[in-house]
Amino acid sequence: MACPGCDMKLMDFAGILRNTVKWKDFLVSHGIFRQSVACPTCGDIRHLVIARNDRCYYRCNKRHGKVQRCNFERSARQGSFVGGSKLSVEQILNFCALWCLLPNPRYRVLREETNISKKTATDWSIFCREVCLGWVYDNRRQIGGSGNVVEIHESKFGPQKYNRDKRIEGQWVFGG
């Protein structure tokens, strides 16, 4: 799926967050929420509703006869990457935008700007890294090739006492 808003700047994104209709459209256009779902009882198409308290849902109150109603209601967050979180959608969008746009070290700024706990900031940072890692894995390609020189470097990271020359116990890291 093509991403129509990926070239936006931080202030453009901040403008989206100030307007409920704009961030609803942003979430739908990026495939995070669906614009509409079918009611499992009556089959009617129900559109996304965003309530004043940042609650996003689909609801069907269609009458079947004089007494019976569908009473179908489902959260728009269900089945999306924001589904299991207690954070508001605005906090999640703010966190993800700042995580993508700010250089390291950004942890303290992320916590202060989004008003979340240390554990939540750590969990969401890990999640953002996993999403990036998944993208890299899905879009990997061979480096080098005919006429291209590829250099490889290695380093070993581990503790060293008193800057003495001796064997370092640690992890080898390779880069190309």
Side-chain angles (χ1 to χ4, degrees), residues 44-148:
D44 263 8
I45 301 299
R46 301 285 100 195
H47 294 287
L48 179 63
V49 175
I50 299 181
R52 293 178 203 245
N53 60 354
D54 192 28
R55 199 169 138 250
C56 309
Y57 60 90
Y58 309 96
R59 178 183 287 164
C60 181
N61 286 329
K62 187 175 180 181
R63 286 190 181 271
H64 300 286
K66 290 185 176 182
V67 180
Q68 190 178 13
R69 289 181 180 242
C70 281
N71 289 332
F72 161 72
E73 183 173 315
R74 191 183 100 199
S75 172
R77 296 171 75 139
Q78 182 181 337
S80 72
F81 84 97
V82 297
S85 179
K86 293 180 182 176
L87 296 178
S88 71
V89 174
E90 186 177 356
Q91 281 180 305
I92 293 170
L93 292 175
N94 277 329
F95 185 91
C96 292
L98 291 171
W99 191 90
C100 290
L101 296 171
L102 292 176
N104 272 327
R106 58 182 166 232
Y107 184 74
R108 185 179 54 78
V109 175
L110 288 171
R111 286 188 43 240
E112 290 173 359
E113 291 296 320
T114 56
N115 196 25
I116 60 177
S117 70
K118 289 180 180 182
K119 182 178 180 344
T120 304
T122 301
D123 289 346
W124 274 96
S125 291
I126 290 169
F127 176 73
C128 289
R129 276 189 222 103
E130 287 173 355
V131 168
C132 292
L133 193 62
W135 183 89
V136 168
Y137 183 77
D138 292 343
N139 295 288
R140 65 179 181 242
R141 58 188 173 94
Q142 180 181 346
I143 59 174
S146 176
N148 292 327

